Amino acid sequence: MRLITLLTYILMYQFVGCQTQTTPEAKSERTESAYIVGNQIPFDGCEESVRLETSASATPIRYKPTSASLPILQKALGNDNQGEKSVTIRFRETGNQVELLCGWGAKPKVGEIEILELTAR
């Protein structure tokens, strides 16, 4: 009887021990040419975001900065917080999809990034 009980505990331990949880994996650091866009909600645009520079035929790739790295973007925009600026950005994708608040209640899902550094081009 003890042998059966022992084997049961071993099997349960192995079963529970083999369970894994998957979480979004943060990607490695990247440096790209991009445009940073200020808060354009008052003009039916979107809140602060980053748009990677792509070819004319490709759909632009937009990202929303994390709340912790948003001040970096706002500082780079300076007094023109509702404008757009050409920059070189060093960032890391968080692996999360978040809502980007836009005018007329639109909330497209975009990738979230942690901005590490912005330099003017």
Side-chain angles (χ1 to χ4, degrees):
M1 185 65 164
R2 286 185 184 178
L3 182 60
I4 293 174
T5 305
L6 179 62
L7 288 175
T8 303
Y9 281 122
I10 290 173
L11 288 174
M12 284 177 38
Y13 177 75
Q14 286 182 342
F15 178 73
V16 173
C18 291
Q19 300 293 322
T20 58
Q21 293 180 344
T22 58
T23 56
E25 247 185 67
K27 302 202 176 172
S28 62
E29 206 174 281
R30 291 172 42 192
T31 301
E32 303 273 344
S33 296
Y35 294 95
I36 53 173
V37 182
N39 184 358
Q40 296 181 346
I41 291 178
F43 311 107
D44 295 329
C46 296
E47 63 186 327
E48 293 96 338
S49 62
V50 175
R51 190 179 76 235
L52 292 187
E53 195 170 79
T54 58
S55 67
S57 62
T59 304
I61 301 169
R62 292 183 82 171
Y63 291 102
K64 181 176 180 176
T66 61
S67 58
S69 63
L70 179 60
I72 298 170
L73 182 143
Q74 292 170 333
K75 183 179 179 184
L77 284 170
N79 293 334
D80 191 20
N81 192 34
Q82 295 175 338
E84 181 176 285
K85 223 178 216 183
S86 178
V87 297
T88 299
I89 184 171
R90 190 167 58 89
F91 67 97
R92 183 178 305 120
E93 291 183 56
T94 65
N96 297 327
Q97 289 288 308
V98 295
E99 290 181 344
L100 182 68
L101 181 61
C102 296
W104 297 92
K107 296 178 184 175
K109 292 271 189 178
V110 297
E112 182 183 51
I113 60 170
E114 177 186 1
I115 298 173
L116 305 173
E117 180 181 33
L118 289 173
T119 54
R121 283 192 292 146

